[in-house]
């Protein structure tokens, strides 16, 4: 395989695709915690993001073609394998992220990046959110093309993980820092990339963006750093009831929402913020001992209004589905939603594809 | 007590890598594969650092033997906290007896009070070097250590060993050789301030000639193959069929 273009059926499990590509020296441009069970067709229909979005971009860029079955049974062959094709309207983009509401994805043609052998991971502590932002800016400039992940988590997230997950230890003992950042680089030259990362981190420490940090010396250590970031969702589940919000916001405003939510809820809940800082994507989670309407009333619609006011997305990567379909107006104008509804009626006049999802019920066919 | 601790560390294919056998069956494919410090060597170094931090030793010296890339492994050791490092430069394969002879020569130069190694390397699983070097030095050995307690006054190391029947406790007069097992400790991460400090720590180079050791290749690798793929199981229809298969096919009864 020279081109790095993978053509496969929608039911292939992401991890298996990864193993197949690995043998040939390529990687899937997508990495999720659920890779052991999720299927590529689903990833396409939900426009899954993942940890390496900052490096490989959206599926809108990596997908070269699709085969889709329409509501009327037509098998639409758009399974191109070309990097450039400006012939007509690029319809595959309608289906990517449409959550199966416009058609069922049956085959995928995916551009797989070459596997780069030198991977480095650093776990860093920052004293405040401003430092995290400066670090991100510097990382994009100084690590440039080798930057492959930039994640953040606050001290409440770290505290949850240390308390609720087995076999997890604080990489930067003894105390809890206010913020933690994970920076990953992927390149082709082990020594050069490591020196570049070390030089960057040294300068960042001198500039006081970082107060402490550790670099993983082997894959096992790297996995234990990732376990902390990837384990937050699991720790939240174990801690009790959780209200989850997945938002896109301007990076400089992002943590303000976490702090405002904290002061709104006071002692009644543990507000936790983490996410893909490099993509401007916040995972805001509110952890309580039990679900309560009183708490929900303090969270919604405040969180959506706040996001809307900052022209953010009320669903950065998780989609709208059933629960957020009626909230679409917080992030999309009425005219835009109206056009979406027309397209839905055109492609699925009888409303058989994933009914009641994505668009508000009033605008759906039938 | 100005006791020095020497720790031998080996650069091996990273434990988490899915290895592949080369098509000519001459060995494992190590091109473009992530290399790291052998996990048991990491544990050995961690133990040495803890002993030093408790005030029972004054210096930790890390040693690695092999091609120039061993320097990366030594830098990791220095970043964890070793005071200085020694690189024995040799590009061909070194088997345990050769490593043991080279270690003995280094011990004669450095005169450490304790030599700590990992119990085995995860690439060859030999589990021989520690025992051989103890024999060459005529030093006591505590292998598969899961606990080490040093007595400064009496110059004795009490070592709990993991053995098939459970735990065995030995008392070793120093100087001694200890090889480390998994449960001895959890190695520290290399932190940024130490990684930066490590850049200016000394790495001394020795050749095999400097140490006056003749490397003889007394082992020849004939073939390296993958283990046979696990075959699917079958259902048998009766106890008689089971007994027949156990007797005549599996030959276990």
């Amino acid at each position: 395989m020279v081109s790095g273009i993978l053509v496969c059926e929608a039911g292939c499990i992401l991890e298996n695709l990864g193993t197949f590509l690995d043998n040939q020296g390529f990687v899937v441009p997508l990495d999720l915690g659920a890779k052991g069970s999720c299927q590529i067709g689903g990833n396409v229909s939900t426009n899954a993001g993942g940890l390496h979005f900052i490096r490989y971009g959206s599926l809108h860029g990596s997908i070269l073609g699709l085969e889709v079955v329409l509501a009327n049974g037509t098998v639409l062959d758009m399974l191109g394998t070309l990097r450039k094709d400006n012939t007509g309207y690029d319809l595959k983009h309608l289906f990517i992220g449409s959550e199966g509401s416009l058609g069922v994805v049956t085959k995928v043609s995916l551009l797989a990046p070459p596997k780069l052998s030198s991977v480095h991971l650093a776990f860093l502590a920052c004293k405040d959110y401003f430092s995290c932002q400066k670090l991100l800016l510097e990382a994009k400039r100084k690590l440039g093309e080798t930057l492959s992940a930039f994640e953040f988590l606050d001290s409440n997230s770290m505290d949850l993980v240390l308390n609720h997950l087995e076999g997890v230890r604080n990489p930067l003992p003894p105390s809890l820092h206010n913020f933690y950042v994970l920076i990953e680089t992927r390149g082709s030259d082990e020594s050069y990339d490591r020196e570049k990362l070390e030089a960057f981190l040294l300068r960042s420490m001198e500039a006081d963006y970082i107060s402490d940090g550790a670099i993983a010396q082997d894959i096992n250590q790297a996995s234990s750093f990732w376990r902390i970031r990837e384990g937050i969702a699991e720790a939240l589940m174990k801690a009790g009831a959780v209200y989850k919000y997945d938002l896109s916001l301007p990076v400089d405003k992002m943590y303000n929402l976490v702090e405002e939510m904290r002061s709104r809820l006071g002692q009644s809940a543990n507000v936790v913020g983490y996410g893909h800082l490099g993509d401007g994507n916040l995972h805001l989670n509110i952890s309580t001992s039990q679900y309560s309407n009183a708490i929900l009333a303090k969270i919604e619609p405040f969180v959506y209004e706040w996001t809307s006011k900052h022209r953010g997305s009320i669903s950065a990567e998780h989609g709208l589905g059933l629960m957020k379909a009626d909230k679409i107006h917080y992030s999309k104008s009425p005219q835009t939603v109206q056009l979406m509804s027309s397209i839905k009626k055109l492609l699925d006049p009888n409303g058989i594809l994933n009914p009641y999802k994505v668009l508000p019920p009033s605008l759906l066919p039938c | 007590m100005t006791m020095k601790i020497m720790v031998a560390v080996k650069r091996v294919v990273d434990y988490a890598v899915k290895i592949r056998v080369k098509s000519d069956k001459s060995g494992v494919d190590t091109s473009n594969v992530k290399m790291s410090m052998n996990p048991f060597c990491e544990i050995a170094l961690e133990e040495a650092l803890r002993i030093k931090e408790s005030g029972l030793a004054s210096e930790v010296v890390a040693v690695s033997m092999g091609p120039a890339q061993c320097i990366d492994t030594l830098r990791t050791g220095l970043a964890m906290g070793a005071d200085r490092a020694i690189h024995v430069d040799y590009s061909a394969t070194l088997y345990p007896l050769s490593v043991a002879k080279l270690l003995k020569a280094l011990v004669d130069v450095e005169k450490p009070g304790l030599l700590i190694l990992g119990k085995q390397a995860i690439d060859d699983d030999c589990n021989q070097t520690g025992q051989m070097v103890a024999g060459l030095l005529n030093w006591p050995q505590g292998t598969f250590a899961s606990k080490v307690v040093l007595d400064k006054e009496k110059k004795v190391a009490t070592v709990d060993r993991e053995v098939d029947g459970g735990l065995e406790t030995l008392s070793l007069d120093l100087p001694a050789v200890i090889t480390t097992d998994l449960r001895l400790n959890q190695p520290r991460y290399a932190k940024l301030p130490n990684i930066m400090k490590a850049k200016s720590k000394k790495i001394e180079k020795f050749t095999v000639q400097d140490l006056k050791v003749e490397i003889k290749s007394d082992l020849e690798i004939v073939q390296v193959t993958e283990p046979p793929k696990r075959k699917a199981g079958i259902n048998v229809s009766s106890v008689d069929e089971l007994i027949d298969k156990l007797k005549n096919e599996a030959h276990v009864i």
Side-chain angles (χ1 to χ4, degrees):
Chain A
M1 185 164 114
V2 172
S3 60
I5 295 170
L6 172 73
V7 180
C8 63
E9 293 188 332
C12 293
I13 291 182
L14 192 61
E15 193 166 49
N16 293 345
L17 289 178
T19 308
F20 172 76
L21 286 172
D22 188 78
N23 284 337
Q24 319 229 15
F26 291 91
V27 294
V28 189
L30 179 67
D31 190 23
L32 310 174
K35 62 185 169 202
S37 55
C38 67
Q39 296 167 9
I40 187 69
N43 295 139
V44 171
S45 290
T46 54
N47 190 21
L51 297 164
H52 294 121
F53 187 94
I54 194 173
R55 172 65 168 265
Y56 299 128
S58 155
L59 282 177
H60 282 287
S62 326
I63 303 277
L64 300 180
L66 294 177
E67 180 190 85
V68 177
V69 177
L70 300 178
N72 63 9
T74 307
V75 177
L76 203 60
D77 177 5
M78 304 180 292
L79 200 59
T81 54
L82 305 171
R83 297 283 282 116
K84 301 168 84 169
D85 181 12
N86 277 352
T87 54
Y89 308 137
D90 199 353
L91 293 179
K92 64 179 185 288
H93 292 293
L94 269 183
F95 299 98
I96 299 172
S98 64
E99 305 181 42
S101 63
L102 297 178
V104 179
V105 171
T106 49
K107 290 199 181 109
V108 175
S109 161
L110 180 67
L111 182 64
K115 176 176 164 185
L116 295 172
S117 50
S118 130
V119 182
H120 292 96
L121 186 64
F123 197 94
L124 309 161
C126 298
K127 62 178 194 281
D128 52 32
Y129 184 66
F130 181 71
S131 305
C132 298
Q133 294 177 67
K134 293 297 291 180
L135 196 58
L136 173 61
L137 195 57
E138 286 303 297
K140 284 186 169 166
R141 280 202 188 118
K142 299 284 161 49
L143 297 174
E145 69 288 350
T146 60
L147 183 64
S148 59
F150 195 105
E151 298 287 308
F152 95 107
L153 50 135
D154 62 13
S155 64
N156 285 11
S157 309
M158 176 65 108
D159 191 51
L160 259 173
V161 168
L162 292 175
N163 284 331
H164 288 103
L165 294 187
E166 292 285 315
V168 175
R169 59 172 165 143
N170 184 354
L172 304 171
S175 51
L176 282 188
H177 291 88
N178 291 331
F179 290 91
Y180 297 94
V181 168
L182 268 151
I183 293 181
E184 186 192 83
T185 63
R186 277 170 196 250
S188 46
D189 188 325
E190 181 80 27
S191 318
Y192 174 76
D193 291 342
R194 193 188 51 241
E195 276 164 36
K196 192 165 156 174
L197 178 62
E198 286 177 2
F200 166 72
L201 293 175
L202 174 63
R203 273 198 306 273
S204 301
M205 226 169 160
E206 286 167 355
D208 210 27
Y209 302 147
I210 307 175
S211 45
D212 200 0
I215 300 182
Q217 298 298 311
D218 57 40
I219 297 179
N220 207 36
Q221 289 187 2
S223 301
S224 54
F225 288 176
W226 276 121
R227 178 87 184 100
I228 295 172
R229 164 60 183 88
E230 289 178 310
I232 302 173
E234 193 187 327
L236 281 162
M237 262 177 15
K238 292 192 170 150
V242 55
Y243 296 92
K244 307 179 79 64
Y245 298 93
D246 161 49
L247 313 162
S248 269
L249 287 165
V251 172
D252 57 337
K253 301 282 190 293
M254 217 158 88
Y255 205 73
N256 293 348
L257 176 57
V258 182
E259 286 171 338
E260 281 192 43
M261 191 60 80
R262 220 167 252 154
S263 61
R264 276 177 82 84
L265 292 168
Q267 295 298 313
S268 64
N270 179 15
V271 179
V272 154
Y274 64 98
H276 315 290
L277 186 57
D279 313 328
N281 184 188
L282 171 71
H283 290 314
L284 172 69
N285 283 255
I286 293 126
S287 174
T288 59
S289 49
Q290 283 172 39
Y291 290 106
S292 113
N293 284 332
I295 290 188
L296 183 57
K298 284 212 175 118
I299 302 173
E300 293 183 26
F302 172 75
V303 65
Y304 294 131
E305 285 168 359
W306 203 99
T307 303
S308 190
K309 196 168 71 188
H310 291 90
R311 293 184 62 92
S313 167
I314 53 131
S315 185
E317 49 182 12
H318 293 169
L320 297 171
L322 205 54
M323 287 177 59
K324 291 189 234 174
D326 58 349
K327 311 262 189 305
I328 193 174
H329 65 275
Y330 283 108
S331 292
K332 289 289 188 307
S333 71
Q335 296 86 347
T336 312
V337 179
Q338 197 58 244
L339 185 53
M340 288 186 199
S341 165
S342 306
I343 293 170
K344 170 70 173 174
K345 288 192 179 104
L346 177 68
L347 288 172
D348 183 20
N350 298 321
I352 62 168
L353 296 176
N354 241 352
Y356 317 118
K357 293 184 187 166
V358 185
L359 297 178
S362 54
L363 294 174
L364 288 171
C366 311
Chain B
M1 183 162 151
T2 52
M3 183 175 83
K4 199 188 296 186
I5 305 180
M6 185 181 281
V7 182
V9 297
K10 187 177 181 186
R11 179 175 180 263
V12 296
V13 173
D14 190 297
Y15 164 69
V17 165
K18 278 199 196 81
I19 53 166
R20 267 185 280 275
V21 176
K22 287 195 270 208
S23 46
D24 63 359
K25 295 188 182 168
S26 61
V28 164
D29 187 11
T30 56
S31 57
N32 274 327
V33 151
K34 170 101 180 145
M35 306 291 278
S36 304
M37 188 187 290
N38 183 40
F40 296 108
C41 300
E42 243 187 323
I43 293 172
L45 185 52
E46 174 65 27
E47 197 62 22
L49 293 169
R50 289 186 189 189
I51 294 172
K52 180 186 158 193
E53 281 158 6
S54 68
L56 296 169
S58 56
E59 197 185 22
V60 173
V61 182
V63 176
S64 197
M65 308 185 181
Q69 293 93 321
C70 286
I71 307 256
D72 292 341
T73 309
L74 289 170
R75 286 263 168 246
T76 298
L78 292 170
M80 280 172 71
D83 299 289
R84 58 187 170 85
I86 294 172
H87 171 220
V88 178
D89 195 3
Y90 191 79
S91 21
T93 316
L94 282 170
Y95 290 107
L97 184 56
S98 305
V99 175
K101 289 179 182 170
L102 288 164
L103 277 174
K104 174 186 184 305
L106 282 172
V107 164
D108 290 341
V109 170
E110 292 283 333
K111 301 188 186 353
L114 203 51
L115 173 61
I116 314 184
L117 302 89
K119 69 172 180 181
Q120 65 199 59
I122 57 161
D123 52 5
D124 53 29
D125 278 342
C126 283
N127 189 351
Q128 297 166 9
T129 308
Q131 292 87 335
M132 284 175 169
V133 70
L136 290 173
L137 287 168
N138 203 24
W139 283 10
Q141 57 182 269
T143 55
F144 310 102
S146 63
K147 187 165 155 195
V148 173
V149 177
L150 246 58
D151 186 327
K152 195 170 163 170
E153 301 294 317
K154 299 191 200 127
K155 297 188 88 180
V156 151
T158 306
V159 176
D160 282 2
R161 306 178 57 228
E162 294 191 5
V163 295
D164 285 347
L167 286 177
E168 177 189 58
T169 306
L170 291 182
S171 182
L172 313 174
D173 291 331
L174 299 180
V177 173
I178 294 177
T179 75
T180 62
D181 213 322
L182 204 55
R183 274 154 283 272
L184 177 58
N185 61 47
Q186 205 176 32
R188 65 195 60 187
Y189 295 117
K191 302 237 296 199
L192 282 178
N194 288 336
I195 291 173
M196 300 315 162
K197 272 187 226 156
K199 290 183 195 295
S200 50
K201 287 181 184 170
K202 206 169 94 165
I203 301 183
E204 218 176 317
K205 193 167 103 166
F206 283 89
T207 61
V208 157
Q209 290 79 8
D210 292 335
L211 296 171
K212 299 190 183 41
V213 172
E214 192 196 334
I215 306 293
K216 278 183 294 183
S217 163
D218 42 15
L219 289 173
E220 181 201 333
I221 300 223
V222 173
Q223 192 187 76
V224 176
T225 55
E226 278 187 24
K229 295 256 183 303
R230 202 182 151 182
K231 288 197 280 249
I234 54 162
N235 282 330
V236 292
S237 55
S238 69
V239 172
D240 288 332
E241 200 190 334
L242 174 63
I243 293 176
D244 176 50
K245 284 198 189 290
L246 286 174
K247 193 167 180 192
N248 299 316
E249 275 185 37
H251 304 291
V252 290
I253 55 171

